[in-house]
Amino acid sequence: MTSESMGWWGVLLGVSAGAVRGGTPFLLVSLGECLTEKSGKINLGLEGTLLMGAMSAYAFSYKTGSPWIGVIAAGIAGALMGAVHAFLVTRPKVNDIAAGIAMLIFGSGLAFFLGKPYIQPSAPQLSPISLGGWSDTAQIQAALKISPIFFLGAGIAFAMNWFFRSTRAGMHVRAVGDSPAAARALGISVERTRILSIVAGSALAGVGGAHLSLFYPGAWTEAISSGQGLMAVALVIFSRWNPVHCLYASLVFGGAQAVGPALQAVGVSTGYYLWNASPYILTLLVMVATCSPKRTLVGAPGALGASS
Amino acid sequence: MKHVFTAILIAMSMAAGLVTQAAEKEVTMGFIYVGPKDDYGYNQAHSEGKAGVSQLPWVKSVEEASVAETAAVQETMRNMINLDGATVLFPTSYGYFDPHILRVAKQYPKVQFLHCGGLYTEGKHPANVGSYFGYIDEAVYIAGIVAGHSTKSGKLGFIAAKPIPQVLRNINAFTLGARSANPKATVQVIFTGEWSMPVKEAEAATSLINQGVDVLTCHVDSPKVIIETAERRGIYVCGYHANGAKLAPKGYLTGAEWNWSKVYTTYAEMVKSGKTLAAGTIPHLVRGGLKEGFVKCSDYGTAVGDAAKKDAEAAKSKFMDGSMVIFKGPLKDNAGKEILPSGKEYKQQDLELESMGWLVDGVVGSTKS
């Protein structure tokens, strides 16, 4: 490998590579949340689902020696968490925010409890897809080793967009989210649509966890998600319930996460707490910039948060 | 009357019997960790210490992992005292000290509270509180020597959690060790701001490697992610807290490790013989380095050269005979300000070093947040 220094190019490389590396969990969780919210329910528990996914992926990869079985296990664990949440919130008069917070605490507690034996061992990791063969710079080659989960997520983002726009099932999800009464009048089962959306959304969040434990940073620890699941929920609002926008927003958040370390590596060491907070500051700024007192948020499902 | 005397005698001998039995009773020690106890890091080091002292037949030990530095730790301490009957507590995380230990210690004056790393102040803090710590900077200095020999780019990286004195002391010792082997070496520091933040640690490691750093070390709660990232990128790494050689079979050079079982055994013996902090028979400040067996170095990895080993071993033997001083003049900080003039030095025991707020010349970074 070359050991030359990259200087300020390193900051640019770090932030753009960090956008993909660090943005992938945001992407999967926000897509899951987007699908859930489109059906008219909120799932704040995806932070717990992300942790369950990360833990299951690591445990299964370690036990079976195959990281892809880990990814599948993460999806199943996520779906199971989603099934519990879906069962709760489709009961009459259950508040989905409260149920979500309960699921968040339950999911992280369960992941920490079941994950105790897997903190120390090293599990086989997902092999990256290398796009940097054209470059002879070690740094660029390393930056272009991209997680397969990222491609999966990016593909799902476009597919989901098409699903909402052009398919019958997608229209049903939107109808249920916008006006459950009208959907019911059309003969669509509100409950069934919501359960399926929540379960599928949680499965996506679980797969996002697999990226954390099996690719980057590539370990199972209790601090692995550190709030990313919650930020992803805000990210859905930020991207106006549009799956493709979720992809862009995730990249921005992932990149913002990398700004602090990348700047310190070139010797800009003042204000690193501020830089580390940049993803959150960014969220606030976008929220302030796009809010309007005159109308509700464009794209928000009509029945979101209503207890029907 | 005679009967009464006999009865009293019997009662007294029985009471005496009870007392001797009580003295032979086990010592119950409680250990509290801020994170999981098998994290290849700070908590694992303490948990290994607990496992070591538990081998004594008369020691009963309880532990609780992942206890937050909030009122939760006060609750854990009370439970260990009231439910498990612990008479000595080791709440090991830095943030447990003020206000949590100080508050609970006032309520239970008979229990010994021993805190890892906190600075006990006589008169200001309750008399049943003490602090212990190891001069791990000695082992870090040796890791620095090996790192200085092993680097090709002359750029070393240090990923640190927060700019507190213990961390700065390690950064400085690592830098001085490295520069004793390679005077041109620099140490680039990244503060992550959190004790455990794997994503940020991986990001920091990646950024440093991209800037040409070819030996990494760290001071965070769990170095696992950093060691694995270094190994994946094919650079060298020095461990911290516990032995990380298994995580990086190719790139692991050496590392600074704690040896808490030695320390905990000493405390257990003091408590068993009836000594207390309040009476002054257990010292309030217990410190030690390589010589006292508080800290140790990981075995050298396969990548360590002979010159590095020779210099490292020479420094180690000077630590063992007590003639080694890490912080000696002339010493400047990285802003050019004089820390120590020529001929002056800080001995390891100097409390000045425990309130360190500067980075030595050769460190790229700043303590300003």
PDB file of all heavy atoms in Angstrom, chain B residues 286-306:
ATOM      1  N   VAL B 286      -3.879   4.579  45.951  1.00  0.00           N
ATOM      2  CA  VAL B 286      -3.001   3.456  45.644  1.00  0.00           C
ATOM      3  C   VAL B 286      -2.623   3.563  44.175  1.00  0.00           C
ATOM      4  O   VAL B 286      -3.485   3.660  43.303  1.00  0.00           O
ATOM      5  CB  VAL B 286      -3.703   2.114  45.928  1.00  0.00           C
ATOM      6  CG1 VAL B 286      -2.880   0.951  45.414  1.00  0.00           C
ATOM      7  CG2 VAL B 286      -3.953   1.957  47.420  1.00  0.00           C
ATOM      8  N   ARG B 287      -1.321   3.604  43.928  1.00  0.00           N
ATOM      9  CA  ARG B 287      -0.855   3.753  42.557  1.00  0.00           C
ATOM     10  C   ARG B 287       0.302   2.794  42.310  1.00  0.00           C
ATOM     11  O   ARG B 287       1.029   2.444  43.235  1.00  0.00           O
ATOM     12  CB  ARG B 287      -0.346   5.189  42.298  1.00  0.00           C
ATOM     13  CG  ARG B 287      -1.406   6.285  42.440  1.00  0.00           C
ATOM     14  CD  ARG B 287      -2.372   6.251  41.287  1.00  0.00           C
ATOM     15  NE  ARG B 287      -3.260   7.410  41.276  1.00  0.00           N
ATOM     16  CZ  ARG B 287      -4.459   7.441  41.870  1.00  0.00           C
ATOM     17  NH1 ARG B 287      -4.895   6.424  42.566  1.00  0.00           N
ATOM     18  NH2 ARG B 287      -5.218   8.511  41.768  1.00  0.00           N
ATOM     19  N   GLY B 288       0.479   2.392  41.074  1.00  0.00           N
ATOM     20  CA  GLY B 288       1.616   1.545  40.755  1.00  0.00           C
ATOM     21  C   GLY B 288       1.739   1.387  39.253  1.00  0.00           C
ATOM     22  O   GLY B 288       0.775   1.614  38.518  1.00  0.00           O
ATOM     23  N   GLY B 289       2.922   1.007  38.811  1.00  0.00           N
ATOM     24  CA  GLY B 289       3.150   0.847  37.376  1.00  0.00           C
ATOM     25  C   GLY B 289       3.641  -0.545  37.048  1.00  0.00           C
ATOM     26  O   GLY B 289       3.235  -1.531  37.669  1.00  0.00           O
ATOM     27  N   LEU B 290       4.547  -0.616  36.079  1.00  0.00           N
ATOM     28  CA  LEU B 290       5.091  -1.913  35.661  1.00  0.00           C
ATOM     29  C   LEU B 290       5.777  -2.617  36.823  1.00  0.00           C
ATOM     30  O   LEU B 290       5.616  -3.812  37.029  1.00  0.00           O
ATOM     31  CB  LEU B 290       6.103  -1.699  34.530  1.00  0.00           C
ATOM     32  CG  LEU B 290       5.532  -1.364  33.159  1.00  0.00           C
ATOM     33  CD1 LEU B 290       6.630  -0.827  32.252  1.00  0.00           C
ATOM     34  CD2 LEU B 290       4.879  -2.581  32.531  1.00  0.00           C
ATOM     35  N   LYS B 291       6.535  -1.829  37.612  1.00  0.00           N
ATOM     36  CA  LYS B 291       7.322  -2.400  38.693  1.00  0.00           C
ATOM     37  C   LYS B 291       6.411  -3.056  39.737  1.00  0.00           C
ATOM     38  O   LYS B 291       6.688  -4.164  40.209  1.00  0.00           O
ATOM     39  CB  LYS B 291       8.113  -1.261  39.342  1.00  0.00           C
ATOM     40  CG  LYS B 291       9.145  -1.695  40.339  1.00  0.00           C
ATOM     41  CD  LYS B 291       9.845  -0.444  40.864  1.00  0.00           C
ATOM     42  CE  LYS B 291      10.585  -0.740  42.133  1.00  0.00           C
ATOM     43  NZ  LYS B 291      10.899   0.511  42.836  1.00  0.00           N
ATOM     44  N   GLU B 292       5.323  -2.393  40.072  1.00  0.00           N
ATOM     45  CA  GLU B 292       4.422  -2.910  41.103  1.00  0.00           C
ATOM     46  C   GLU B 292       3.474  -3.969  40.545  1.00  0.00           C
ATOM     47  O   GLU B 292       2.668  -4.527  41.279  1.00  0.00           O
ATOM     48  CB  GLU B 292       3.607  -1.772  41.722  1.00  0.00           C
ATOM     49  CG  GLU B 292       4.435  -0.758  42.521  1.00  0.00           C
ATOM     50  CD  GLU B 292       5.125   0.277  41.650  1.00  0.00           C
ATOM     51  OE1 GLU B 292       4.895   0.257  40.414  1.00  0.00           O
ATOM     52  OE2 GLU B 292       5.910   1.087  42.174  1.00  0.00           O
ATOM     53  N   GLY B 293       3.518  -4.189  39.232  1.00  0.00           N
ATOM     54  CA  GLY B 293       2.655  -5.204  38.630  1.00  0.00           C
ATOM     55  C   GLY B 293       1.231  -4.738  38.386  1.00  0.00           C
ATOM     56  O   GLY B 293       0.343  -5.552  38.189  1.00  0.00           O
ATOM     57  N   PHE B 294       0.992  -3.420  38.409  1.00  0.00           N
ATOM     58  CA  PHE B 294      -0.359  -2.906  38.136  1.00  0.00           C
ATOM     59  C   PHE B 294      -0.690  -2.975  36.646  1.00  0.00           C
ATOM     60  O   PHE B 294      -1.844  -3.087  36.266  1.00  0.00           O
ATOM     61  CB  PHE B 294      -0.483  -1.440  38.577  1.00  0.00           C
ATOM     62  CG  PHE B 294      -0.777  -1.252  40.036  1.00  0.00           C
ATOM     63  CD1 PHE B 294      -0.107  -1.997  40.994  1.00  0.00           C
ATOM     64  CD2 PHE B 294      -1.726  -0.337  40.454  1.00  0.00           C
ATOM     65  CE1 PHE B 294      -0.366  -1.814  42.343  1.00  0.00           C
ATOM     66  CE2 PHE B 294      -1.997  -0.147  41.804  1.00  0.00           C
ATOM     67  CZ  PHE B 294      -1.316  -0.889  42.748  1.00  0.00           C
ATOM     68  N   VAL B 295       0.334  -2.829  35.824  1.00  0.00           N
ATOM     69  CA  VAL B 295       0.124  -2.832  34.374  1.00  0.00           C
ATOM     70  C   VAL B 295       1.154  -3.770  33.738  1.00  0.00           C
ATOM     71  O   VAL B 295       2.149  -4.127  34.369  1.00  0.00           O
ATOM     72  CB  VAL B 295       0.277  -1.416  33.754  1.00  0.00           C
ATOM     73  CG1 VAL B 295      -0.753  -0.471  34.326  1.00  0.00           C
ATOM     74  CG2 VAL B 295       1.669  -0.870  33.968  1.00  0.00           C
ATOM     75  N   LYS B 296       0.871  -4.182  32.507  1.00  0.00           N
ATOM     76  CA  LYS B 296       1.828  -5.036  31.803  1.00  0.00           C
ATOM     77  C   LYS B 296       1.761  -4.741  30.316  1.00  0.00           C
ATOM     78  O   LYS B 296       0.855  -4.045  29.855  1.00  0.00           O
ATOM     79  CB  LYS B 296       1.540  -6.510  32.096  1.00  0.00           C
ATOM     80  CG  LYS B 296       0.136  -6.934  31.715  1.00  0.00           C
ATOM     81  CD  LYS B 296      -0.199  -8.333  32.232  1.00  0.00           C
ATOM     82  CE  LYS B 296      -1.642  -8.672  31.884  1.00  0.00           C
ATOM     83  NZ  LYS B 296      -2.194  -9.822  32.566  1.00  0.00           N
ATOM     84  N   CYS B 297       2.721  -5.274  29.567  1.00  0.00           N
ATOM     85  CA  CYS B 297       2.718  -5.091  28.115  1.00  0.00           C
ATOM     86  C   CYS B 297       2.291  -6.395  27.461  1.00  0.00           C
ATOM     87  O   CYS B 297       2.655  -7.472  27.924  1.00  0.00           O
ATOM     88  CB  CYS B 297       4.111  -4.744  27.611  1.00  0.00           C
ATOM     89  SG  CYS B 297       4.736  -3.186  28.235  1.00  0.00           S
ATOM     90  N   SER B 298       1.530  -6.285  26.364  1.00  0.00           N
ATOM     91  CA  SER B 298       1.204  -7.494  25.594  1.00  0.00           C
ATOM     92  C   SER B 298       2.505  -8.071  25.026  1.00  0.00           C
ATOM     93  O   SER B 298       3.457  -7.329  24.769  1.00  0.00           O
ATOM     94  CB  SER B 298       0.295  -7.172  24.416  1.00  0.00           C
ATOM     95  OG  SER B 298      -0.746  -6.316  24.774  1.00  0.00           O
ATOM     96  N   ASP B 299       2.512  -9.374  24.768  1.00  0.00           N
ATOM     97  CA  ASP B 299       3.663  -9.991  24.095  1.00  0.00           C
ATOM     98  C   ASP B 299       3.829  -9.352  22.716  1.00  0.00           C
ATOM     99  O   ASP B 299       2.850  -8.993  22.076  1.00  0.00           O
ATOM    100  CB  ASP B 299       3.434 -11.497  23.937  1.00  0.00           C
ATOM    101  CG  ASP B 299       3.432 -12.194  25.289  1.00  0.00           C
ATOM    102  OD1 ASP B 299       4.014 -11.626  26.237  1.00  0.00           O
ATOM    103  OD2 ASP B 299       2.835 -13.284  25.399  1.00  0.00           O
ATOM    104  N   TYR B 300       5.100  -9.257  22.265  1.00  0.00           N
ATOM    105  CA  TYR B 300       5.358  -8.626  20.960  1.00  0.00           C
ATOM    106  C   TYR B 300       4.729  -9.437  19.839  1.00  0.00           C
ATOM    107  O   TYR B 300       4.793 -10.667  19.845  1.00  0.00           O
ATOM    108  CB  TYR B 300       6.859  -8.511  20.704  1.00  0.00           C
ATOM    109  CG  TYR B 300       7.577  -7.684  21.727  1.00  0.00           C
ATOM    110  CD1 TYR B 300       8.527  -8.252  22.562  1.00  0.00           C
ATOM    111  CD2 TYR B 300       7.280  -6.331  21.865  1.00  0.00           C
ATOM    112  CE1 TYR B 300       9.171  -7.487  23.517  1.00  0.00           C
ATOM    113  CE2 TYR B 300       7.923  -5.566  22.818  1.00  0.00           C
ATOM    114  CZ  TYR B 300       8.869  -6.156  23.647  1.00  0.00           C
ATOM    115  OH  TYR B 300       9.494  -5.397  24.594  1.00  0.00           O
ATOM    116  N   GLY B 301       4.171  -8.719  18.866  1.00  0.00           N
ATOM    117  CA  GLY B 301       3.631  -9.391  17.685  1.00  0.00           C
ATOM    118  C   GLY B 301       4.742  -9.798  16.735  1.00  0.00           C
ATOM    119  O   GLY B 301       5.915  -9.428  16.918  1.00  0.00           O
ATOM    120  N   THR B 302       4.361 -10.548  15.703  1.00  0.00           N
ATOM    121  CA  THR B 302       5.370 -11.066  14.777  1.00  0.00           C
ATOM    122  C   THR B 302       6.053  -9.956  13.978  1.00  0.00           C
ATOM    123  O   THR B 302       7.156 -10.135  13.477  1.00  0.00           O
ATOM    124  CB  THR B 302       4.711 -12.034  13.774  1.00  0.00           C
ATOM    125  OG1 THR B 302       3.521 -11.412  13.298  1.00  0.00           O
ATOM    126  CG2 THR B 302       4.352 -13.353  14.428  1.00  0.00           C
ATOM    127  N   ALA B 303       5.391  -8.783  13.857  1.00  0.00           N
ATOM    128  CA  ALA B 303       5.934  -7.723  13.010  1.00  0.00           C
ATOM    129  C   ALA B 303       6.992  -6.879  13.727  1.00  0.00           C
ATOM    130  O   ALA B 303       7.616  -6.016  13.116  1.00  0.00           O
ATOM    131  CB  ALA B 303       4.797  -6.824  12.531  1.00  0.00           C
ATOM    132  N   VAL B 304       7.202  -7.126  15.024  1.00  0.00           N
ATOM    133  CA  VAL B 304       8.124  -6.272  15.776  1.00  0.00           C
ATOM    134  C   VAL B 304       9.564  -6.686  15.493  1.00  0.00           C
ATOM    135  O   VAL B 304       9.926  -7.862  15.624  1.00  0.00           O
ATOM    136  CB  VAL B 304       7.825  -6.361  17.290  1.00  0.00           C
ATOM    137  CG1 VAL B 304       8.780  -5.487  18.072  1.00  0.00           C
ATOM    138  CG2 VAL B 304       6.392  -5.951  17.559  1.00  0.00           C
ATOM    139  N   GLY B 305      10.381  -5.705  15.101  1.00  0.00           N
ATOM    140  CA  GLY B 305      11.773  -5.980  14.754  1.00  0.00           C
ATOM    141  C   GLY B 305      12.676  -6.092  15.980  1.00  0.00           C
ATOM    142  O   GLY B 305      12.285  -5.756  17.097  1.00  0.00           O
ATOM    143  N   ASP B 306      13.920  -6.548  15.748  1.00  0.00           N
ATOM    144  CA  ASP B 306      14.844  -6.755  16.864  1.00  0.00           C
ATOM    145  C   ASP B 306      15.252  -5.450  17.539  1.00  0.00           C
ATOM    146  O   ASP B 306      15.365  -5.381  18.757  1.00  0.00           O
ATOM    147  CB  ASP B 306      16.097  -7.492  16.365  1.00  0.00           C
ATOM    148  CG  ASP B 306      15.770  -8.937  16.000  1.00  0.00           C
ATOM    149  OD1 ASP B 306      14.790  -9.465  16.564  1.00  0.00           O
ATOM    150  OD2 ASP B 306      16.474  -9.511  15.146  1.00  0.00           O
TER     151      ASP B 306
END
